[in-house]
Every structure is written in C-alpha cells, then in structure tokens.
Amino acid sequence: MASFDIVSKVDPQTLENAVNTAKKELQTRYDLRDTKGGIELDKKANTIQLSSENSMRVKALEDILLGRVVKQGIDGTALDFTAEEQANGALVKKTIKVRAGVDKEAGRKIIKAIKDAKLKVEAQMQDDQVRVSAKKIDDLQAVIALLRQRSADIGQPLQFVNMKS
C-alpha cells in the first residue's frame, strides 16, 4: 500500500536566521534603537522571548519577527502569538511558542476533512503526525491537493513527507 505522512515542523536553522535578522533590524530602526530587551530564541524549549519597555513596543517586535519569519519562507501560522504579555519589573515580556508537530485537534480536523471527501484512503494519528495510506498513489495526491486547499481551516502549516509506493 502507498502511504505518506502529514507533519508540521519548522527548520531550526531557518528560524534562527529569521530571529537573527529581526535582531539586526531592531538595532537599526530609529524608533526602537534605544530600547531595553529584545528578541531571544530558546532552541530547547522551542520558544521566542520578546521583551521591551511597553506593550506597544512588544507589538512592534512581533511585527518585525513575523515579517522576517515570512521572508525566510516559514509559514506565519507556525508561531503561536496567543500568549499574554507579562510585566516583569521594568520590562514587558511575551513568550511565543513555535508549533512543532500536528496536535490532536489539528489531527482530528485533517482526518475529518479526508473522510468528508470520501476518498478511498485510510488516515490515522501517530504521535505528532498523521499517516495516510491508500492502494493508489492518485488517491494520495488527491488528499494532498485537498489539504493544501483547506490549510486555512486547520490553522497549522503542513508538510507531506515519506511518500512510499
């Protein structure tokens, strides 16, 4: 049987390049030049820490970071901006999670979309990925086309890997 895996991951080197480029832009922007804090990438926790004097500057840091991430070719939905800002002394901090792996809710949406399309394929969750298998490769390609059309509904960037026939 032919199969492939649906995953959601971000290349760590590309993310690091985007963060470093955002740091350089932060140093050169006139309105943000003398601010305390900045942008820090934590590779182990897979998070990005933004900090500045007030929430308006933190929002400006978000915009800079998002612009640089998109220019590096990373989907903007890979960053989770939903965390609340926290005041810590003189600085306002915000932690942004980098989404890695297909979470349970997104996996259910993917499997439901595949079943609603009534294609002759089987989809199942495996840890942080979804495996799709079928007898024909054409059915698998139809699933890929379907999920690319509905990627906005899922809310996560998806990659299709390990195509086997």
Side-chain angles (χ1 to χ4, degrees), residues 3 6 21 36 87 93-94 165:
S3 68
I6 302 169
T21 308
K36 294 180 178 130
K93 293 185 177 184
K94 184 169 186 176
S165 58

Side-chain angles (χ1 to χ4, degrees), residues 10 38 111 117 126 128 157:
V10 176
I111 292 171
Q126 293 182 343
D128 60 349

Side-chain angles (χ1 to χ4, degrees), residues 15-132:
L15 181 64
E16 185 177 4
N17 290 344
V19 169
N20 289 337
T21 308
K23 284 181 185 179
K24 286 180 184 177
E25 182 177 339
L26 177 63
Q27 293 171 351
T28 59
R29 282 208 19 191
Y30 179 75
D31 58 338
L32 299 172
R33 187 176 301 151
D34 296 328
T35 61
K36 294 180 178 130
I39 303 172
E40 295 298 322
L41 174 65
D42 185 2
K43 293 180 186 178
K44 290 183 181 177
N46 216 14
T47 60
I48 301 170
Q49 181 81 29
L50 304 178
S51 59
S52 190
E53 287 96 6
N54 57 40
S55 60
M56 189 170 19
R57 287 189 176 165
V58 171
K59 180 65 177 150
L61 291 177
E62 283 181 19
D63 294 341
I64 291 170
L65 178 65
L66 186 60
R68 291 299 161 189
V69 163
V70 170
K71 281 188 179 181
Q72 288 286 336
I74 299 172
D75 194 343
T77 58
L79 301 179
D80 184 12
F81 289 102
T82 59
E84 292 293 319
E85 297 174 356
Q86 301 163 346
N88 186 4
L91 295 178
V92 176
K93 293 185 177 184
K94 184 169 186 176
T95 303
I96 299 170
K97 287 194 272 185
V98 180
R99 293 182 179 147
V102 177
D103 60 356
K104 298 286 184 193
E105 183 181 330
R108 283 190 210 112
K109 287 180 184 178
I110 291 169
I111 292 171
K112 184 177 183 327
I114 291 171
K115 286 185 179 181
D116 289 347
K118 299 193 177 175
L119 297 169
K120 294 181 181 178
V121 298
E122 292 179 25
Q124 58 190 9
M125 277 294 291
Q126 293 182 343
D127 295 330
D128 60 349
Q129 65 185 16
V130 177
R131 167 133 324 147
V132 180

Side-chain angles (χ1 to χ4, degrees), residues 141-158:
Q141 290 173 339
V143 169
I144 292 172
L146 171 78
L147 292 176
R148 285 196 174 141
Q149 288 175 348
R150 296 189 180 179
S151 64
D153 298 340
I154 296 166
Q156 260 185 308
L158 300 176

Side-chain angles (χ1 to χ4, degrees), residues 130-142:
V130 177
R131 167 133 324 147
V132 180
S133 56
K135 292 183 179 177
K136 298 180 183 176
I137 290 185
D138 293 341
D139 293 334
L140 296 179
Q141 290 173 339

